[in-house]
Amino acid sequence: MLLLVLLNYLFALVVSLPSFVCYLWLGEATLPGVLLFAFFLFFLPLVALAVSCLIGWLISLISSRMKHKNAISLICAILFMGIYFYVCFGFSAMIERIEADIAGIVSAFSPYLGPLQWMGRAIAHTDLVSGLGFFLLGGVLIAAAYWFLARTYTAILTAGRSGVRYEYREKKARTSSRLGALIRREFLHFISNYYYILNEALGLFLAPAAAIYILIQGKNIGQLMDELPELAPFLAS
């Protein structure tokens, strides 16, 4: 749990320090705002850890009663990778749209930020009421996660995982050669861990997809090589 806390603080620093530099650079920083920023920098990772513990318990509860976990995990991982690459490839266009209409985008996302706006108002406008509201809400989440873990942590670690029950069917055992047994064992190990499937087999699908994309979008790739000649040896290979 200590490692999870330290990781949350590490992620918070990666996100918060550039924000703090911009806060100082814009010339709108005040001493109360800086103090509130430091306080919430210490407090926010604890809230994130509490929320992640509760969500993790819920996901574990659901997955323990599911069949074909590896297939579902593989599908979710591929969907996540697809979203990730979509965002990465469209990042420059997204930045241009944000710069063109930043006020409209802020107004569109504001209703979904919820209590995080309270923290922002507390820091930017020294709104102590909003800061107190966020602190109380976060404190309730932390207390709930602490109470839940205190009551269930030992039971979770020592509980037997019944999971999904499978019906036993008697079958005749078949002998096979050493090579066949080895191949079967490795194949079962391969399909039992979706990390192996992603790392080892995803290239089998990406290589034909990349070839088809090059056939269709070859002209655009040629233009990219002209605009970025340093990429030409990599793309040509």
Side-chain angles (χ1 to χ4, degrees):
M1 296 301 293
L2 179 60
L3 178 61
L4 292 177
V5 173
L6 294 177
L7 286 174
N8 273 275
Y9 276 108
L10 177 62
F11 294 142
L13 285 173
V14 171
V15 175
S16 300
L17 290 182
S19 302
F20 184 67
V21 172
C22 294
Y23 179 50
L24 296 177
W25 180 63
L26 293 174
E28 300 178 357
T30 61
L31 180 59
V34 172
L35 294 177
L36 286 171
F37 190 99
F39 171 75
F40 284 119
L41 179 60
F42 170 79
F43 181 70
L44 189 59
L46 300 178
V47 178
L49 181 64
V51 173
S52 62
C53 285
L54 295 174
I55 293 176
W57 171 80
L58 181 61
I59 293 175
S60 177
L61 181 65
I62 295 173
S63 64
S64 64
R65 290 165 172 77
M66 292 171 57
K67 292 184 178 180
H68 311 297
K69 297 179 185 178
N70 289 311
I72 296 173
S73 300
L74 177 62
I75 293 172
C76 292
I78 292 175
L79 288 175
F80 175 79
M81 290 180 62
I83 295 172
Y84 172 78
F85 284 119
Y86 175 78
V87 172
C88 288
F89 290 141
F91 187 74
S92 58
M94 292 171 58
I95 294 297
E96 292 177 359
R97 288 197 295 269
I98 291 174
E99 292 176 345
D101 188 19
I102 188 170
I105 292 177
V106 170
S107 61
F109 277 96
S110 293
Y112 303 101
L113 294 178
L116 291 176
Q117 293 185 94
W118 304 347
M119 181 180 64
R121 280 198 294 266
I123 296 173
H125 306 294
T126 319
D127 188 347
L128 297 180
V129 176
S130 297
L132 181 61
F134 182 80
F135 173 73
L136 292 177
L137 179 61
V140 169
L141 291 174
I142 293 172
Y146 181 84
W147 176 84
F148 180 79
L149 290 177
R151 291 178 61 89
T152 62
Y153 192 74
T154 302
I156 290 173
L157 291 181
T158 58
R161 297 296 180 183
S162 59
V164 180
R165 295 184 179 274
Y166 294 90
E167 181 182 356
Y168 172 74
R169 295 180 181 178
E170 185 176 354
K171 297 181 180 180
K172 292 183 178 180
R174 293 183 300 175
T175 59
S176 61
S177 63
R178 294 179 182 177
L179 179 60
L182 178 62
I183 293 175
R184 183 175 182 274
R185 189 193 70 173
E186 292 300 321
F187 178 74
L188 292 176
H189 181 63
F190 177 77
I191 63 175
S192 65
N193 193 331
Y194 74 94
Y195 288 109
Y196 279 125
I197 299 176
L198 284 177
N199 292 330
E200 303 295 336
L202 196 58
L204 297 176
F205 300 98
L206 290 180
I212 295 173
Y213 180 81
I214 291 174
L215 289 175
I216 298 174
Q217 300 291 338
K219 182 178 179 181
N220 294 335
I221 295 178
Q223 293 176 355
L224 179 63
M225 294 174 65
D226 293 336
E227 296 174 359
L228 300 172
E230 62 272 12
L231 294 181
F234 173 74
L235 294 176
S237 61

